[in-house]
Amino acid sequence: MAPPMANLDLNLLVQTVSKWQITILQVVPTVLRELLEQPDFGNCESLRRVFCGGEVLSGELRNEFFAQMSAELINLYGPTEATIDITSSRCHADSSATATSIGRPIDNAQVFLLDTHLEPVPIGVSGELYVGGLPLARGYHHRPDVTADRFIPNPLAVVPGERLYRTGDIACYLEDGTLKFEGRVDQQAKVRGYRIELEEIEAVLQRQEEVISAVAVVSDDQSERQIVAYLKLRTPNTSEQVREALYAQLPAYMVPSIFIAMESLPMLPNGKIDRRSLPSAHEVQKPFHYEEPRTEVEYAIASIWRETLGMEKVGRNDNFFQLGGHSLLLFRVHSQLKLLFERDLSMVDMFRYPTVQSLAEHLAGQDTPQFSGASETSEKRKQRRLRLQLQLKRRRAAINLKQ
């Protein structure tokens, strides 16, 4: 029922649910968190069930959902190799629990927790999660080597020929027999609902002419998980070239949000990169040379970016993604800019014009009045920012009044 691009415009998604009285909605936890911040989502009383999967559903997010919504919340788990979902759990508000159970297997599916000897583990003991049954895929297309490695004969099979898929996920049985997800055994990760193979990103990075060595990790320094690339470059200040090359070779969700250039990457005695010794991305990330916004439009964009990213200041040459932004944060920026400027601004434009200056020129054209930031007093700049904030508040109030 959702129109094109609704997945990139949460305000449009909420409007669709309300307009058509949608009863079933399925989203990843990251999107659910953003939806709960939409002022009208709590009024979507037609929703009966919300399904959540693709990432870990935290207890905090689960309880926030029940504080706003009256619908059922179903937590789903499953790899693509098991036709997406293989377990489910009906959630309940529980202030004492920090994690949400992934539940029990769906009909015609099997789940086993096995140790390194492929023996079942008891309740409360962690094991690797293996799945089987009718939902299981046949294997990987034209990849017999990978298929043989991941799809193994079922050591507990009742019927000869049954197979299990080794997920690489760690879980344990709770006292009530449900499953609790505990993490990964390898470098695979999920970011905003997408399964990310960090080794694949690293392989593409290593093929770039400017890159000597590289490592990709998932950073949890902020509320949103982000992919961070640490690079040793042949030529300084070429990180942006590497980023542009990756957009041509990888899906957008696999391109790192943050690129950190280092003189050398920490190494272990065996010659491998010491991932644990990598500095925090947000500690070593250096701000770009700050240049004051020059136009009303640039000030408006910079003000919205600063609020969204939680930064003290944003300059006209700053790049939204290089400042740590990602597509979901871009939702907020997109809706506020449309509200303020009343322009037909698409999400594609937001990706195409990632700097304050380029986006301002796209919005305002060449007729934007220029002024010298240096010639203005701090008081005038303050008044200018306050005027823009007031315009934004008035625009929001007008839209709410119409609704």
Side-chain angles (χ1 to χ4, degrees), residues 168-183:
D169 290 329
I170 300 297
C172 73
Y173 285 112
L174 300 175
E175 292 292 337
D176 61 359
T178 60
L179 291 160
K180 175 187 174 184
F181 177 84
E182 295 187 326

Side-chain angles (χ1 to χ4, degrees), residues 10 39 44 50 111 145 188 237 260 266 293 299 327 361 400:
L10 297 187
C44 294
V50 174
V111 171
D145 53 336
Q188 192 181 88
N237 303 321
I260 303 296
Y299 262 115
S327 57
E361 290 175 351
N400 291 335

Side-chain angles (χ1 to χ4, degrees), residues 20-318:
W20 298 107
Q21 293 294 286
I22 301 299
T23 58
I24 304 296
L25 177 67
Q26 180 163 347
V27 292
V28 298
T30 303
V31 174
L32 179 61
R33 181 180 294 108
E34 295 292 325
L35 281 172
L36 291 173
E37 293 185 4
Q38 297 292 315
D40 295 327
F41 186 60
N43 298 326
C44 294
E45 298 179 354
S46 63
L47 284 175
R48 293 190 289 108
R49 291 192 181 97
V50 174
F51 291 88
C52 214
E55 297 173 336
V56 176
L57 177 62
S58 68
E60 178 185 4
L61 179 59
R62 177 199 61 220
N63 293 335
E64 184 179 346
F65 173 87
F66 286 116
Q68 295 189 38
M69 309 295 293
S70 59
E72 285 187 323
L73 179 63
I74 312 296
N75 190 30
L76 303 173
Y77 162 83
T80 305
E81 292 82 354
T83 57
I84 309 302
D85 298 318
I86 199 105
T87 72
S88 69
S89 172
R90 181 172 281 101
C91 301
H92 304 281
D94 184 357
S95 59
S96 64
T98 57
T100 304
S101 166
I102 59 175
R104 293 183 170 86
I106 62 174
D107 290 347
N108 300 315
Q110 299 172 327
V111 171
F112 300 93
L113 292 185
L114 307 178
D115 60 19
T116 55
H117 303 289
L118 299 182
E119 294 289 338
V121 299
I123 292 176
V125 176
S126 300
E128 186 170 354
L129 203 155
Y130 291 75
V131 299
L134 292 183
L136 207 60
R138 296 179 181 179
Y140 299 100
H141 189 53
H142 293 323
R143 297 291 301 276
D145 53 336
V146 182
T147 298
D149 178 59
R150 307 298 293 190
F151 292 83
I152 67 170
N154 185 352
L156 307 173
V158 176
V159 178
E162 288 184 347
R163 300 176 307 148
L164 294 179
Y165 171 68
R166 178 166 58 90
T167 67
D169 290 329
I170 300 297
C172 73
Y173 285 112
L174 300 175
E175 292 292 337
D176 61 359
T178 60
L179 291 160
K180 175 187 174 184
F181 177 84
E182 295 187 326
R184 291 287 306 171
V185 297
D186 54 23
Q187 293 299 317
Q188 192 181 88
K190 281 197 174 181
V191 178
R192 298 187 288 279
Y194 292 101
R195 191 167 67 180
I196 305 296
E197 293 283 359
L198 294 175
E199 291 182 355
E200 183 177 351
I201 298 174
E202 292 171 357
V204 176
L205 284 169
Q206 294 285 7
R207 292 200 294 266
Q208 307 310 310
E209 184 177 351
E210 292 293 337
V211 176
I212 299 175
S213 58
V215 60
V217 302
V218 174
S219 171
D220 289 312
D221 288 351
Q222 294 182 331
S223 59
E224 303 291 350
R225 309 188 82 200
Q226 298 185 76
I227 306 172
V228 182
Y230 294 86
L231 309 173
K232 182 178 180 181
L233 300 170
R234 302 183 189 280
T235 308
N237 303 321
T238 54
S239 298
E240 187 58 28
Q241 294 177 241
V242 176
R243 181 196 296 272
E244 293 176 3
L246 260 61
Y247 270 113
Q249 301 173 50
L250 287 172
Y253 64 84
M254 292 182 66
V255 177
S257 299
I258 301 174
F259 287 76
I260 303 296
M262 303 179 66
E263 293 184 2
S264 61
L265 300 178
M267 308 294 287
L268 293 168
N270 61 8
K272 295 183 179 180
I273 294 176
D274 185 0
R275 295 172 181 269
R276 293 186 177 182
S277 297
L278 290 168
S280 168
H282 301 285
E283 290 178 0
V284 302
Q285 196 176 16
K286 297 179 180 179
F288 294 90
H289 174 68
Y290 177 76
E291 185 175 345
E292 184 88 10
R294 297 179 181 177
T295 70
E296 295 280 6
V297 179
E298 286 182 2
Y299 262 115
I301 296 171
S303 177
I304 292 172
W305 284 19
R306 187 172 64 248
E307 177 185 347
T308 303
L309 297 171
M311 305 187 69
E312 292 185 3
K313 61 181 181 179
V314 172
R316 68 192 305 262
N317 295 320
D318 287 343

Side-chain angles (χ1 to χ4, degrees), residues 376-386:
E376 282 201 336
T377 65
S378 60
E379 182 61 30
K380 286 185 178 181
R381 287 196 294 270
K382 182 179 179 180
Q383 292 177 359
R384 185 180 295 276
R385 294 189 183 99
L386 289 174

